Amino acid sequence: MIKSKQIQRPQLVLVVDDQEINRDVLGAILEDDYEVIYACDGKEALDIMREKAEKLSIVLLDLMMPVMNGFEVLETVQSDDLLKRIPIIVLTAEKNAELQALQMGAADFITKPFDMHEVILARVGRIIELSEGRQLISAAEYDRLTMLYNRNFFFEYADRIYRYHPELKMDAIILNIEQFHLINDVNGRDFGDEILKTIGMEIRSFLSETEGIASRFDADIFYIYCVKQDDYQKLLERFQNCVNNLSENVSIHLRMGVKPWREDVEPVTMFDRARTACNMVRGNYQNPLMIYNDSMRTKEIFNQRLLNDLNAAVEEKQLMVYYQPKYNIQCDPPKLSSAEALIRWKHPELGMISPGDFIPLFEGNGLINVVDNYVWKEAARQVGEWKNKYGFHLPVSVNLSRADIFDPQLIEKLVNLIKNNDLKYKDLKLEVTESAYTDNAKKLLELISNLRTLGFEVEMDDFGSGYSSLNMLSEMPIDVLKMDMKFVRNIEENETDFLLVKLILDIAKYLNLHVVAEGVEKEGQLNLLKDAGCDLVQGFYFSKPLPPEEFEKLIEKEISIERNEN
Ligand code: C2E
Ligand code: MG
Ligand code: MG
C-alpha cells in the first residue's frame, strides 16, 4: 500500500540564520524529510515568507541576525493574517530569549548548539502536524461564504453552551429565504451567494452585540442560538432590511421560526421546534414570523402518534369507509344518484379521527397512498357488493390526492379494481381537488385525459377554493364540477354569493359539465339551487357520511320509491 505521505510533495521548510555553518547543519538534518530553503537575515526571510506563504510548512528562525533580527520578524508576522498561520520555531542560545520569543508567537524553540538530530526532527514534525491540524479544524468549522459555523460544529458548540452555561437563557431562531432556489435560478448563483453573505454579515454583527453563535445550516437556512430576545419581530425586520436593498428588481423575503428559551430543552430539540414553527409560515409573506407554542407541541405529538399507528390501523381495520349520498334534485322526489367514499379512522384509544386531521399529514409525507389505496379498494368492493345484493346501480366517487398523481402504477391499480370487482369504469368516479390542477398542471392533465379515455369520470373537487379561474375550465378534461361549500353557505343571505353560484352553473352548462353543490344543509339553500338549475347536491340536508350498513337503508328506501313509481 502506498502511504499518502509518499505520493505528496515534501513539506517546505525555511531555515533563517546568518551563519552558514548553522544553515548547513540544519539542512543536513532536515533534507532527507523536507524540502529546505534558506535565508540569511530577517528581511530576506520575510520576503520569502510572503512569496511562499501558501506553501511554507514551517520556519526555523535564528534570533540574532544583522539587518533584521528574529524578534522583528516575529513582530511583523504576528500582525499579518497571511503570515501568522505559518508556525515558527526559534533557534537560540539564550534562556531569556526563548521565553520572549514564545510570548511573541513562536511555536517552539531549539537550543544552540544543536541537540541530537532526532530531537530536532521530532520537534519540527510535531509543530507542523499541530499547525496543520489546527488549520484543518478552522477550515472545517466555518462556512466559507458566510463565515458562520457549519452545522456539525454549530451543534457541538450549542451543546457545550447548554451543558456548561445553564445560566444562559438561549433562544433557538431559524431564518430562511423564501423561494431561494428560484432566486438562484433566475438571477444566478452569484446573486444568491451575495444574499447569503449579506445575511451572514448581519448575523455576525448581531452576535457582536448579543451573546450567541450561528450557523449556515443548509443552503439558505440559518440557525441562531442566542440569549433570549425581547422582540423577535424587530429582529426579523433587521435581517429583512439588510437584504431589501440588494436589488431593485428582485424582492427577497425572509421567514423566521423561534423556539424561545425553556429550561429543560436541548439545542437539537429546540431547533426541531423552531423549524416546525418556521415551516408553518412558509410562503406567508404577510406574517413571516412564527413562535413555537404548546399547542404546536400537542399537535406534533398527536401527528407523531398517527404516523406510528397507521400500519396497525390498516391491518386491524380501524380505517373505515363512510358514504355520503349525492342526490339529483331536479327529480321529484330527489333521486339518489351516487355517493362519495370518505375515510374515517376509528382509533382504539383516540376515538374517531376525522380526515381533516390526518389527510394533510399523510399528504405531506407520502403515506397518503396507503390510505387512498385502501379506500379505493374498499369502495370498489362495496360497489360490487351492492350491485349484487340489490341489483342497484350506485356509482361511488373516491378522492385522489396530489401524491397519487405521481404514482406510476395509478392507472394499473384503478383498472384492476374495476376488473376484479366486475364493475364498469363509470361505477368508480374520481375526485381530484382543484388545487392539484394548478400545482402540477401538465402532468395532471395528461393523467386525467388517459383516465377519461379509459372511461373513468373525473370530478373537480372543491372548485372555487383555490385559484383556478372560470375561464380555465374550458381547457380542463373533467366531467363534473364540485362547487366548494363556501359558495353555498351564504346563498340565502348574500345576494352576491348567489349570483356567483348562478354564474358558475351557467358556465358549467355551457361547457356541458354537471355540477355538484357541496355542503347543502338547509332547505332554503336547496330550493335556491334547484331554481338556479343545479342538478346534484351533497350535504347534511340529505345525510351525513354514513357507515355502509346505514347507507344501505338509503338504498332500500330508493328502491322502494322506484317500485312505487312503476
Ligand atoms: P371533500 O372531498 O370535499 O369531502 C366533503 C367533505 O365535506 C366531507 O368531510 C364531508 O363530511 C363534508 N360535508 C359534506 N356535507 C356537508 C355539509 O352539509 N356541511 C358540512 N359542514 N360539511 C359537509 P370529511 O369527510 O371530513 O372529509 C374532509 C376532506 O378530507 C374531504 O373533502 C377530502 O378532501 C378529504 N378526504 C376524505 N376522505 C378521503 C380519502 O379517502 N382520501 C383522500 N385523499 N382524501 C380524503
Ligand atoms: Mg371529495
Ligand atoms: Mg369537496
Side-chain angles (χ1 to χ4, degrees):
M1 200 172 71
I2 306 172
K3 278 197 187 155
S4 63
K5 200 156 185 172
Q6 286 174 291
I7 53 173
Q8 278 171 2
R9 288 184 46 219
Q11 289 149 320
L12 186 62
V13 177
L14 171 63
V15 171
V16 190
D17 203 305
D18 57 323
Q19 310 248 326
E20 194 177 353
I21 173 82
N22 288 338
R23 295 199 298 270
D24 285 349
V25 172
L26 286 172
I29 298 172
L30 296 167
E31 260 166 7
D32 278 351
D33 295 283
Y34 301 96
E35 184 185 340
V36 187
I37 51 177
Y38 303 91
C40 304
D41 61 58
K43 194 174 164 313
E44 196 187 343
L46 281 177
D47 289 344
I48 295 177
M49 286 175 79
R50 288 204 179 93
E51 189 192 330
K52 299 191 183 290
E54 299 293 332
K55 297 189 189 123
L56 267 177
S57 288
I58 198 164
V59 176
L60 306 189
L61 178 69
D62 182 23
L63 287 178
M64 300 305 158
M65 291 179 295
V67 186
M68 184 195 259
N69 69 31
F71 292 112
E72 290 168 87
V73 173
L74 282 172
E75 205 178 313
T76 312
V77 166
Q78 269 316 301
S79 59
D80 184 320
D81 279 345
L82 185 68
L83 301 185
K84 209 160 60 179
R85 55 158 277 282
I86 309 169
I88 298 178
I89 296 184
V90 295
L91 312 167
T92 171
E94 281 184 56
K95 273 268 170 271
N96 286 348
E98 276 165 20
L99 186 65
Q100 194 188 348
L102 289 177
Q103 281 167 342
M104 290 177 72
D108 203 350
F109 54 86
I110 292 174
T111 41
K112 291 185 188 176
F114 295 129
D115 245 331
M116 286 162 61
H117 294 184
E118 290 77 7
V119 176
I120 292 176
L121 270 176
R123 289 200 153 182
V124 169
R126 191 178 59 93
I127 295 294
I128 290 179
E129 213 172 279
L130 275 176
S131 118
E132 283 182 349
R134 211 176 41 233
Q135 281 169 36
L136 215 76
I137 288 174
S138 71
E141 256 181 354
Y142 293 104
D143 161 46
R144 280 178 46 209
L145 204 58
T146 58
M147 292 313 285
L148 300 174
Y149 287 124
N150 64 36
R151 63 161 81 193
N152 292 335
F153 283 92
F154 173 76
F155 268 122
E156 179 70 35
Y157 292 133
D159 278 339
R160 280 189 211 171
I161 295 174
Y162 175 72
R163 261 183 285 137
Y164 301 123
H165 295 279
E167 77 283 2
L168 292 177
K169 300 179 173 167
M170 304 296 275
D171 286 341
I173 298 176
I174 293 182
L175 204 59
N176 208 176
I177 306 169
E178 291 287 351
Q179 304 278 10
F180 185 65
H181 61 285
L182 265 183
I183 298 179
N184 252 339
D185 277 358
V186 177
N187 307 283
R189 283 191 74 94
D190 286 348
F191 183 65
D193 283 357
E194 199 183 327
I195 301 176
L196 297 172
K197 265 192 239 168
T198 307
I199 296 176
M201 242 155 60
E202 194 61 33
I203 292 179
R204 278 187 286 135
S205 138
F206 164 66
L207 291 178
S208 67
E209 304 150 21
T210 310
E211 213 161 344
I213 56 173
S215 154
R216 180 161 78 105
F217 195 76
D218 212 358
D220 61 335
I221 304 176
F222 295 87
Y223 278 27
I224 306 171
Y225 194 52
C226 62
V227 292
K228 201 157 177 37
Q229 298 295 299
D230 308 322
D231 191 341
Y232 301 113
Q233 188 65 44
K234 209 164 117 203
L235 189 61
L236 174 56
E237 275 161 23
R238 170 178 183 162
F239 295 127
Q240 179 64 55
N241 286 340
C242 85
V243 291
N244 279 347
N245 298 325
L246 281 181
S247 159
E248 279 177 16
N249 310 323
V250 192
S251 53
I252 303 158
H253 297 272
L254 304 182
R255 63 170 179 270
M256 188 189 261
V258 181
K259 166 72 183 94
W261 176 82
R262 265 274 190 98
E263 191 154 26
D264 54 345
V265 186
E266 297 188 346
V268 174
T269 315
M270 292 275 285
F271 279 98
D272 273 353
R273 294 183 185 166
R275 198 152 181 156
T276 301
C278 195
N279 287 340
M280 290 181 77
V281 282
R282 182 188 300 276
N284 187 341
Y285 293 8
Q286 260 75 46
N287 242 331
L289 169 69
M290 180 61 83
I291 297 163
Y292 189 89
N293 59 37
D294 281 344
S295 73
M296 283 182 212
R297 174 150 175 68
T298 315
K299 177 97 184 129
E300 267 193 325
I301 293 171
F302 180 70
N303 285 352
Q304 195 53 49
R305 178 85 193 265
L306 297 186
L307 290 174
N308 293 342
D309 292 354
L310 179 64
N311 276 341
V314 173
E315 275 163 27
E316 294 163 17
K317 297 218 181 305
Q318 297 166 15
L319 295 184
M320 289 178 307
V321 181
Y322 275 36
Y323 298 87
Q324 186 177 33
K326 299 179 193 176
Y327 280 89
N328 185 331
I329 55 167
Q330 295 301 337
C331 304
D332 191 20
K335 186 175 156 44
L336 175 63
S337 70
S338 65
E340 176 172 8
L342 293 159
I343 183 101
R344 297 290 179 266
W345 185 345
K346 197 171 183 182
H347 193 283
E349 282 152 42
L350 302 171
M352 208 63 153
I353 311 172
S354 87
D357 283 332
F358 60 88
I359 296 280
L361 172 69
F362 294 151
E363 272 179 338
N365 60 22
L367 285 174
I368 189 69
N369 293 17
V370 177
V371 176
D372 280 346
N373 291 353
Y374 178 89
V375 175
W376 303 341
K377 197 170 161 196
E378 179 52 27
R381 191 202 60 73
Q382 187 66 73
V383 175
E385 187 189 308
W386 282 333
K387 212 171 178 177
N388 291 334
K389 186 168 172 187
Y390 296 109
F392 187 84
H393 175 74
L394 186 89
V396 166
S397 57
V398 292
N399 289 285
L400 256 60
S401 297
R402 254 162 283 203
D404 297 323
I405 296 158
F406 295 101
D407 178 356
Q409 289 168 333
L410 177 73
I411 292 189
E412 191 187 328
K413 281 177 186 166
L414 291 171
V415 168
N416 282 340
L417 288 178
I418 298 295
K419 290 194 175 139
N420 296 343
N421 292 285
D422 204 13
L423 305 182
K424 301 212 169 62
Y425 284 102
K426 283 192 170 20
D427 292 338
L428 200 66
K429 298 172 193 269
L430 310 172
E431 294 193 6
V432 181
T433 179
E434 182 208 72
S435 54
Y437 285 83
T438 26
D439 285 358
N440 333 289
K442 200 160 160 263
K443 172 112 183 118
L444 183 74
L445 294 189
E446 193 184 299
L447 175 79
I448 290 194
S449 300
N450 291 340
L451 287 166
R452 288 181 78 228
T453 309
L454 280 168
F456 284 106
E457 279 187 9
V458 176
E459 312 193 358
M460 187 194 264
D461 207 353
D462 314 317
F463 175 76
S465 63
Y467 299 102
S468 58
S469 55
L470 281 170
N471 59 18
M472 274 167 67
L473 273 181
S474 60
E475 290 151 30
M476 300 286 185
I478 51 171
D479 304 281
V480 177
L481 206 62
K482 292 192 75 178
M483 204 161 37
D484 197 67
M485 275 182 227
K486 71 167 187 221
F487 289 109
V488 175
R489 192 171 302 137
N490 298 319
I491 47 173
E492 286 178 293
E493 302 82 25
N494 188 325
E495 171 128 29
T496 323
D497 279 13
F498 184 54
L499 286 175
L500 204 59
V501 166
K502 283 219 286 206
L503 182 69
I504 294 174
L505 287 167
D506 284 348
I507 291 177
K509 194 167 184 183
Y510 174 73
L511 295 172
N512 249 333
L513 299 173
H514 288 286
V515 175
V516 178
E518 284 197 80
V520 176
E521 297 182 353
K522 294 184 259 176
E523 191 169 2
Q525 296 168 331
L526 182 91
N527 289 335
L528 283 174
L529 287 164
K530 185 174 174 179
D531 292 345
C534 175
D535 39 13
L536 295 164
V537 156
Q538 176 180 352
F540 294 171
Y541 174 77
F542 286 111
S543 170
K544 293 197 161 153
L546 300 170
E549 45 307 344
E550 280 183 52
F551 191 90
E552 289 184 356
K553 291 185 191 134
L554 298 182
I555 298 179
E556 286 159 11
K557 190 169 152 204
E558 195 64 30
I559 291 173
S560 85
I561 293 174
E562 272 180 22
R563 275 209 202 101
N564 290 340
E565 278 174 356
N566 293 331

